[in-house]
Amino acid sequence: MADALEALAARAAGEPFFLACPLAAYASSEGIDDARLAAALGCPAQELAMLRLCRAPRAEPGKFWDDVNEVAVRFGIDPNVLADAVRRGQVILRLREAWAGASRAGGSLLAARDTDAPPPEDPP
Amino acid sequence: MHRSIVNFPSPAQGLALHLRLCDSDSIAPADLCRAYLGPLVAWLAARSGRVDQQICESAAHDALVTYVRNPRTYDPARGDLGAYLRMAARGDLFNLLQREAKHEKGRVAWMGVEDAGGAGNIPGEDDPTSRAEREEEAGRAKAFLAAIAEGFTRRERDVLNLMLAGEHKTSPFASALGVDSLSETEQRREVKKVKDRILKRIQRGGPPDG
C-alpha cells in the first residue's frame, strides 16, 4: 500500500494540481533526492508521499498562505520553508514550459541578449 | 461480493472527504488517496485476476487523480463515493487494457514507419494550422523569456540558461559566474546566491535590485 501511494505521489508530480508537481521541480533544480527533499522541508521521509498528494497552494495571494499554513500545520513543517520551495518550483515549471515552447521552434533562447551592450549614455 | 474482501471507507467518511475536497481543503486529496487507493487496487485485482497488478494500480491512480481534480463529477445524491470510484477505476482499467492491446497491434506498423526513413512522419508537421500555432506559442515563449532576462547581466543570463537547460551541478554555474577558482563550498554559496537572486527577481517580476 505504501508503495502504491508512493507511486501515485510520483505520478502526481506531473499534475500541477498536486503539491508534488512544484516540489518535484524544486528538488530537480536543486539536484536533491527524496531524502534530502524531506530533510530540506523538515518533513519525516515516510510522510513525503502524503505531503506530495496535497493540493498545490492556490495562486491568489491570501489563499496561497492559507493553503501553505494548512499543509504546514498538518505536517509540522515551517510554512516559510514550504512556501519558498513551492514558489521556486512554480517558477522552474513556468521556465520549463517557456523553454519547451521556444525549443520546439528551434533557435537559441536568450542568445539575442547575450551581448553586453554598453549602457545608454546619460543625456548631455 | 468482491467488495466484502476490501475495506472501503464508509459512505459517511466518503462524503466527508468529498466535502473537504469541494471546500478546497489542501490536505483532502492526500487523505482521500490514502483512504481509497488500497481498497481500489485490491478490488480491481480481485475482479481482474489475470491483469497485472501494476495496471490495476495505474487504473486506480487514474480514477483518483481524475476525481480529486474534478470532485464535482461525483454527485453524492446518486450513491456512495466508493461505488463511484470503483466504477471510474473499472472504466479506466478497461481503457488502459484497450490501449495496451492497440499498442501491441500497432508495434509492427510503427516500426514500418521508422524503417521507411522518410520525412514528414511527425503528425501535424505539415499542417499549416499546427505550424502557425507552434510558431505563435514559440513567439509567446520567447517574449516571456526575454521579459524575464530584461535587466540581467550577461553572467546572470548564462546562469538562467543553465537552469533552463536543467543543469544542477555546481561547476557549470561556477564557470559561468567566473568563480571556479574558489573552494567548492564557496562556489556553492556563490551559485546559490545568484540562483536565489534570479528566482527572487522572476517571482517578483519587477526590475532588478542590483
Side-chain angles (χ1 to χ4, degrees):
Chain A
M1 169 57 190
D3 285 352
L5 200 67
E6 272 165 25
L8 177 54
R11 182 206 156 142
E15 303 272 352
F17 172 88
F18 291 98
L19 195 49
C21 189
L23 289 183
Y26 166 74
S28 126
S29 77
E30 295 288 312
I32 55 176
D33 60 14
D34 283 359
R36 288 177 65 197
L37 174 64
L41 295 170
C43 166
Q46 66 273 16
E47 284 285 303
L48 194 55
M50 281 295 282
L51 178 67
R52 285 169 159 158
L53 288 169
C54 290
R55 203 198 54 234
R58 288 161 293 177
E60 297 93 319
K63 287 178 180 168
F64 178 86
W65 278 106
D66 286 349
D67 293 346
V68 164
N69 283 324
E70 192 174 29
V71 174
V73 166
R74 162 72 179 263
F75 291 90
I77 58 184
D78 181 339
N80 291 309
V81 171
L82 178 62
D84 189 43
V86 170
R87 283 187 165 149
R88 282 159 181 260
Q90 286 170 339
V91 168
I92 299 287
L93 288 168
R94 286 177 62 205
L95 293 176
R96 278 189 193 156
E97 270 172 35
W99 168 264
S103 295
R104 273 195 289 277
S108 60
L109 286 171
L110 303 174
R113 293 176 175 270
D114 270 357
T115 50
D116 276 337
E121 286 178 19
D122 290 336
Chain B
M1 38 174 216
H2 291 294
R3 195 186 160 180
S4 61
I5 63 168
V6 287
N7 262 339
F8 276 89
S10 70
Q13 288 169 324
L15 181 61
L17 283 165
H18 174 72
L19 294 175
R20 282 175 59 199
L21 261 188
C22 292
D23 196 35
S24 300
D25 178 328
S26 301
I27 324 287
D31 286 341
L32 187 125
C33 289
R34 183 164 60 184
Y36 283 94
L37 179 59
L40 270 181
V41 174
W43 183 79
L44 286 173
R47 284 179 61 94
S48 337
R50 284 184 305 168
V51 176
D52 187 274
Q53 171 87 6
Q54 278 201 326
I55 297 183
C56 291
E57 274 187 21
S58 293
H61 291 171
D62 286 348
L64 287 169
V65 168
T66 304
Y67 164 65
V68 298
R69 287 175 58 189
N70 291 295
R72 296 194 191 279
T73 53
Y74 161 62
D75 178 2
R78 297 181 67 180
D80 167 36
L81 180 58
Y84 172 81
L85 289 172
R86 285 194 292 277
M87 190 184 69
R90 192 175 53 188
D92 287 327
L93 179 63
F94 178 75
N95 290 337
L96 282 172
L97 292 173
Q98 258 198 334
R99 217 178 301 154
E100 283 273 307
K102 258 189 206 162
H103 177 70
E104 288 299 317
K105 234 191 263 177
R107 189 167 284 166
V108 175
W110 171 244
M111 283 170 71
V113 172
E114 283 185 322
D115 288 346
N121 282 339
I122 301 169
E125 190 182 41
D126 294 318
D127 173 0
T129 310
S130 301
R131 201 166 44 238
E133 282 172 2
R134 283 200 302 273
E135 282 168 7
E136 198 181 317
E137 185 189 342
R140 279 198 301 269
K142 282 186 176 174
F144 173 71
L145 286 169
I148 279 175
E150 199 70 46
F152 281 1
T153 65
R154 182 192 176 116
R155 284 185 166 168
E156 285 169 339
R157 285 198 299 272
D158 288 345
V159 169
L160 177 58
N161 274 327
L162 285 168
M163 292 165 82
L164 287 167
E167 182 58 67
H168 50 71
K169 288 188 197 123
T170 300
S171 53
F173 289 102
S175 300
L177 291 171
V179 296
D180 38 0
S181 60
L182 299 178
S183 74
E184 208 174 304
T185 310
E186 286 170 324
Q187 281 183 31
R188 207 171 294 136
R189 193 169 51 229
E190 285 303 308
V191 167
K192 185 173 181 337
K193 210 159 67 183
V194 175
K195 278 184 175 179
D196 284 350
R197 193 165 65 224
I198 288 172
L199 288 173
K200 207 181 273 181
R201 283 184 198 165
I202 293 171
Q203 283 165 0
R204 217 177 33 226
D209 54 13

